Amino acid sequence: MRVPLSWLKEYVALPANPAELVERLTLAGLESSGVQVIGLPVPAGLQVKPGDATPVWERDKIVVAKVLKIEKHPDADKLKLVTVDHGAAEPKTVVTGAPNIDVGTSGMKVILGLQGSKYYYTDKDGSKKIFTLEPKALRGIMNDAMCMSNYELGIAEDHDGIIILDETDPAPGTPAADVLGDIVIELDVLPNMARCLGMLGIAREVAALTGATVVEREFLDIASDEPIAGQCTVAIENPKLSARYIAMMIRNVTVGPSPRWMRTRLQAVGMRPINNVVDVTNYVMLESGQPLHAFDYDVLQSRAGGKAPAIVVRAAKPGEKLVTLDGVERTLGPENLVIADSAGAIALAGLMGGRDTEVTAATKTLLLEAAQFDFVSVRKTARQFNLFSEASTRFSRGLHPDSAAYGARRAAQLFQKHASGEVLLGWVESFPVPMTPAKIELNRNEIERLLGTAMPDGEVERVLTALDFKLEPTIWGWTVTPPANRLDIQTGAADLIEDLARVSGYDRLPSRLLAQEMPTPTGNRTLELEERVRDTLATLGLSECICYSLVDGGLGSGVWGAEKPVALVNPISPERSVLRTSLLPGMLDVAKRHLEATGAAAIFEVGAVFLATKNPLPDEPQRIGIVLAGRNQELAWDKQQSGTCDFYDMKGLIESLLADLYIAGVTYEHAKVPHLHPARSSTVIVNGQPIGSFGDLHPKAGLDGAIAAELDLDAILQAAPTRVGYVPFSTFPPAKRDVAVIVPQDTTAATVLAEVRAAGGELLIDASLFDVYTGDTIPAGTKSLAFALTYQAPDRTLGEKEIQKAHEKVESRLRHMLKAQIRGKD
C-alpha cells in the first residue's frame, strides 16, 4: 500500500525524519518496498531508488499563481495567453495549450514554473527526460514560464491538462513544494496485517511505535429531518456469506470534480480521480480500509416499478447475467455472491458494481452501500473472473462488520460537504448475527514465558491501548477486548504477546545463551545421500530443474499410466488441478524450452510424487527424473552438428550414478512402461528388485527423440551401502581372453555374464560384452555374443596353464548351463 506522509500526518504525529519512520515500520512487520519523493529534497538516511525522486521544486522557481485573465493567442488556434499573479511585483503572461482552461475565464489557481525550473518532458524518441525551462518564442511571443501539469512535475503520468488548485489553496507566490510536495512510502502489507490497508490502521501502528496519539474522526450531525425509512429495504439471505449490509441515501448530489486535495491524495496512492462520488468512496476505503459502493437510486427505483427498491444479498442464480462497470457481461452461478434487486443482480459483492445502476453525471440521488462479505467467497469470485481490485483485496482478507458503520458515516459526511448532498436521517441495514466481542485473558507469566523476559505493566498497557485494544485489569494480568479491525486476534494470548514484542521492539528483547550446551550434531544419511545424488548428476553434465507439484488433471491417465491422481478441492487453475504422479510431464515442458533455445536438453529433478491411498493423505515417494534430448555434445569448432542423445547415453548416466553410490548387483531387463517406447526401454534392477525404468519416450508422450528415466530414490538410498571397503589392486600383469558363444535369440547378455562370473571365480576380475552378431553364418533364431574377459591374481603372475584352466571352466559352464555353442571350438 502506498502511504503519502502528508495524508498520514493528518491522523498521527510523525517523526521528524521519515527515514526513522520507515525503519520503525519495517522492524514492526510493515516492510517498505520503496519510497517516492515528490518535489522535496531527499531526507538524510532515506533510501530512494534511482528514478523514484523527482527533481526538487525550487521554492522560488515553482510557485502557486492565480489566473487574472485568459486570452486567445493571436497566431495559434490551440494556444492561449494566460496572465497570472505569482506573488511578484508585476503579473506574468505565459503561453499554454492546456485543454482544461478556457479563454475568458479567471480566478483559478495554477502551478507556475519560472525560468530555470526543471520539469519532465517526453522527448522525440518517446523517452521521459528532465529539461530546464529556458526562454523560448512560441508563435512570435516570448515565453519564459509555463503552467505545470501533473506529468511535468512528476506527480502522475496523465497529460489531461495543467494542475488547477482549489480557491482555498495558498496565496500566489507560495512554493509549490508546500502545497503538493510529498513523500510516499510503499508498504508490503502481509495478510495478517489487513488492518493496515487503511490510513487509520497505519496511524494506529505509528502511534503505538512512537508513543503519539491517533486523532479520531468526529462525526457531526449532518442528516436532514427526513428519515430513510420506507425508501428501500435490505435483506441478507445467508448470514455466513454476508454478516452486515448498510444502505444510506443522499439526495440532490451534484456530480463533478472532487476537491484538489482529494484528487492529489488519490493520485499519490496510484488511483485515478474520476468524479466526486467515485472519489469519495475510494477515499474512505483508503482512509478506513472499508470499501464502499454508490448506486443511482433513481435507476433502482425505476427498476422496481416506481416502488422502494428491495436490496438483497444472495447467491447468484444459475446462468444469471450481469454487465459489470467494465462493460463485460459475466455469467454467474450459485458460487458467486451478488447484490440484487427485484429485477436481478446489480453488483458482484465485494468486486464490482453493475453498469445499469452506475453513477453518471446525471445522477441526483445515491444509495450508498457499506457491507461485510465472506472473504472466501470474494476471493474465489475474484479469481474466477480475474477481477482483482483495491476493494477485493480488502474484502478477501476479512473485514469486521463494525467497520461498515464507520465507512458509511464518513462517506455521507464527505458527500454532504463536497457533492452538496442531502443525507437522509439514519440508515437501513440487515445485521442478522452481530459479532460478540472476543475476550482474551492475558497473563503476565505467559508474556514472560513466551518472550523470555518480563515486560512492565505500563508498557503492556501503552502498546495495547495505542493499538485500540480495551483492557480490564485482573489479578494475573488483563482481560483484553480486540478492536473491530483485529479479526486476526480472537482467541488465545499468543498473538497479543506477538504484538507486544513487535511494537515494543524485537531489538529490545534481551539476548542470552542457552542454559545447556548444544548437542553434538549428527549426520542425516538420507539427506546427505540425496545431496550426493544431485552433485553426481550435476557433475555428469545435467542441469537441475524444480517443476510444479501441481499439474493438469489430464496427466493422470493415458500414456502416463492409470494411477488416479490426488485432486485439489480448490485448484488455482485447470492446469494446476492435481498432484503429480510422475516427475516427467513437468520436466518435458522444461526440456522443450531448452531445445527451442539451445538445441539440447540434459536435465534432472529430485522430488516427490503423490500417490493416492486409502488414507486421507497420499504417499509421497521420492523420485529421480532425468530427460535427455537433442545434441549430446556442444557444437564442434567447425559448427558441425555432433551426435544426438540416445538410449546408451541414459544407460551410462544411470550406471555412473549407481557406481558413485557404490551400489552393486545392477542388471537391466526389458520394460513395458506406458510412457516409454515398447522396443527401446529397460527396467533397472538392483539385487533383484526393480528401482525404476528408462528408455526412449513413447511418441504420444509429447517430445519426439527424447530419452527419459524415472528412478525410485528411496530404493536407491536403501541399496547404497553404509560402509564401503576396498580391495588393493594387483601389481601383476593381467591376461586377456575372449569368448564368443551362440545362444538362443531370447537369451540376454546379462544371463550369459552371470554364468561367466560364476565360473571365473576370484581370478576373473572383469567381463564385458563387446559384440553382438546375427547372420547367415549362425543358425536361425540364435545370436552370437562376444565377451572380453580379464584374469589376474593379486599375488603372482598367472601362468598359461592356470589361465587356460580358468578359461576352459568358463566355457564348460556356458555349455552346461546355457547349452551354448563356443564359436571357433564347437
Side-chain angles (χ1 to χ4, degrees), residues 410-585:
R410 176 68 169 136
Q413 185 182 57
L414 293 173
F415 283 135
Q416 190 266 345
K417 185 174 183 180
H418 300 294
S420 303
E422 178 188 347
V423 181
L424 268 62
L425 182 64
W427 61 50
V428 179
E429 74 169 324
S430 178
F431 198 180
V433 186
M435 283 188 67
T436 302
K439 299 286 186 181
I440 301 172
E441 296 301 323
L442 180 60
N443 193 305
R444 296 182 185 88
N445 295 332
E446 186 69 1
I447 296 174
E448 184 173 359
R449 187 184 73 82
L450 291 182
L451 298 185
T453 183
M455 183 175 287
D457 287 2
E459 179 67 2
V460 172
E461 294 172 357
R462 183 194 71 79
V463 170
L464 295 181
T465 302
L467 292 174
D468 216 20
F469 289 88
K470 306 300 181 185
L471 280 71
E472 298 176 15
T474 65
I475 296 175
W476 305 107
W478 303 266
T479 298
V480 181
T481 303
N485 63 348
R486 295 304 300 270
L487 286 176
D488 59 311
I489 298 181
Q490 294 297 312
T491 59
D495 290 330
L496 284 173
I497 296 171
E498 179 189 355
D499 265 8
L500 290 175
R502 181 178 62 83
V503 174
S504 183
Y506 293 119
D507 54 331
R508 296 175 60 186
L509 295 176
S511 59
R512 63 185 184 186
L513 297 176
L514 294 175
Q516 297 178 346
E517 292 184 0
M518 290 289 290
T520 303
T522 58
N524 186 317
R525 183 173 182 271
T526 300
L527 294 180
E528 290 169 358
L529 287 178
E530 185 178 316
E531 193 61 29
R532 183 168 177 174
V533 167
R534 288 188 170 91
D535 291 343
T536 299
L537 293 174
T539 302
L540 291 170
L542 304 179
S543 298
E544 184 175 10
C545 64
I546 301 175
C547 301
Y548 287 109
S549 296
L550 298 174
V551 296
D552 192 326
L555 295 178
S557 58
V559 71
W560 295 107
E563 290 180 333
K564 185 178 180 181
V566 178
L568 269 65
V569 175
N570 183 26
I572 57 176
S573 71
E575 294 77 20
R576 300 280 180 261
S577 60
V578 301
L579 290 166
R580 64 186 181 186
T581 57
S582 170
L583 300 181
L584 296 180

Side-chain angles (χ1 to χ4, degrees), residues 738-744 777-779 783-785 804 807-826:
D738 295 342
V739 62
V741 296
I742 299 175
V743 294
T777 59
I778 61 174
K783 61 184 176 183
S784 171
L785 303 176
Q804 186 63 29
H807 196 63
E808 288 176 354
K809 187 176 179 180
V810 171
E811 293 176 346
S812 175
R813 185 176 179 92
L814 293 175
R815 291 189 186 97
H816 177 70
M817 299 300 295
L818 300 178
K819 310 302 180 187
Q821 179 183 350
I822 309 301
R823 295 188 68 184
K825 292 187 177 183
D826 296 343

Side-chain angles (χ1 to χ4, degrees), residues 136-317:
K136 182 179 179 181
L138 293 176
R139 292 294 183 96
I141 296 179
M142 184 58 63
N143 189 65
D144 63 351
M146 65 185 296
C147 297
M148 295 289 197
S149 68
N150 284 318
Y151 179 83
E152 288 155 348
L153 289 179
I155 297 174
E157 294 297 316
D158 66 82
H159 296 72
D160 296 340
I162 62 174
I163 297 172
I164 297 179
L165 305 176
D166 294 338
E167 294 182 0
T168 56
D169 277 310
T174 302
D178 294 345
V179 182
L180 300 177
D182 209 347
I183 295 175
V184 182
I185 302 173
E186 181 84 27
L187 295 179
D188 291 333
V189 180
L190 300 176
N192 66 329
M193 300 188 76
R195 61 190 179 278
C196 293
L197 289 173
M199 294 294 167
L200 281 170
I202 298 172
R204 292 189 183 97
E205 292 288 321
V206 173
L209 292 169
T210 63
T213 302
V214 175
V215 178
E216 297 292 343
R217 179 70 57 188
E218 292 185 6
F219 291 104
L220 303 177
D221 185 9
I222 59 170
S224 65
D225 294 334
E226 182 179 356
I228 192 176
Q231 301 295 330
C232 70
T233 62
V234 170
I236 295 174
E237 285 191 354
N238 187 350
K240 292 183 179 180
L241 297 179
S242 178
R244 189 178 194 182
Y245 192 96
I246 292 175
M248 294 188 73
M249 273 188 66
I250 301 94
R251 283 181 174 169
N252 301 320
V253 297
T254 301
V255 179
S258 53
R260 192 274 311 163
W261 60 265
M262 184 179 292
R263 298 196 307 271
T264 301
R265 289 180 175 180
L266 292 176
Q267 287 172 332
V269 299
M271 300 192 77
R272 183 173 63 90
I274 297 175
N275 57 51
N276 51 358
V277 174
V278 177
D279 291 353
V280 163
T281 58
N282 285 335
Y283 183 85
V284 173
M285 174 184 67
L286 293 167
E287 178 185 74
S288 66
Q290 171 66 49
L292 305 168
H293 185 70
F295 299 100
D296 189 318
Y297 177 84
D298 294 329
V299 173
L300 291 174
Q301 192 175 47
S302 175
R303 288 164 59 95
K307 300 179 181 179
I311 305 300
V312 60
V313 184
R314 60 170 173 82
K317 299 174 182 178

